[in-house]
Amino acid sequence: YFDSPQSLAALVRNAKGFDAANLVLYGDQQVLRRDGASTPFPRPPVGLEKKALEGRMAIAHASSLWPTALLRCLRFDESFRIALDYEFALRSLELVQYRHVATRVAVITTDGLSNRPRSLLRVIAEDARAKRNNGLSPYSSPVLNLKRFLRWMSSPLTSRS
């Protein structure tokens, strides 16, 4: 969810002077974990957003604003259940500019479908398909997939159902 009305206003203020038809504005976001801890969502270094997206979903959709015209033109590929936003971001890489706004824009939790242990194989498969569909190697993030696998292996058996 958006952190506050001021966060949204900060995003809009930072759009001035840019072509709104191809500008993706994104801010920082906080992750609320199941154990009650709170940590910042890691974001890519400013200026390296496109390179970071080739490895993983580096621009959190909850803290970003995308051009409506781009959404109408490209549309989401609804054959994806988990990596829908990631595949869309990859497809639009060459069409957009990114602008980071240094303010917390969103707060998210870790209980979504992509973080559930039973979804691990689907997450990996959809990420790989999104990369393949967009001319990238599906093996470009082996460390991330290893971390996901280890988290899945250490989870209680009851949560895999």
Side-chain angles (χ1 to χ4, degrees), residues 4 8 13 23 26 30 34 36 40 45-46 50 64 68 75 77 97 100 102 109 114 116 121 131 135 142:
S4 70
L8 189 54
R13 273 194 312 276
L23 177 65
Y26 72 99
Q30 198 73 13
R34 288 185 187 114
V46 173
K50 292 181 180 186
S64 60
T68 305
R75 312 288 250 176
D77 179 346
Q97 297 175 42
H100 176 254
T109 62
S114 62
R116 294 181 186 157
L121 297 178
K131 289 174 184 177

Side-chain angles (χ1 to χ4, degrees), residues 124-137:
I124 292 171
E126 285 196 11
D127 280 0
R129 183 165 59 104
K131 289 174 184 177
R132 242 187 339 269
N133 288 359
N134 290 283
L136 299 171
S137 168

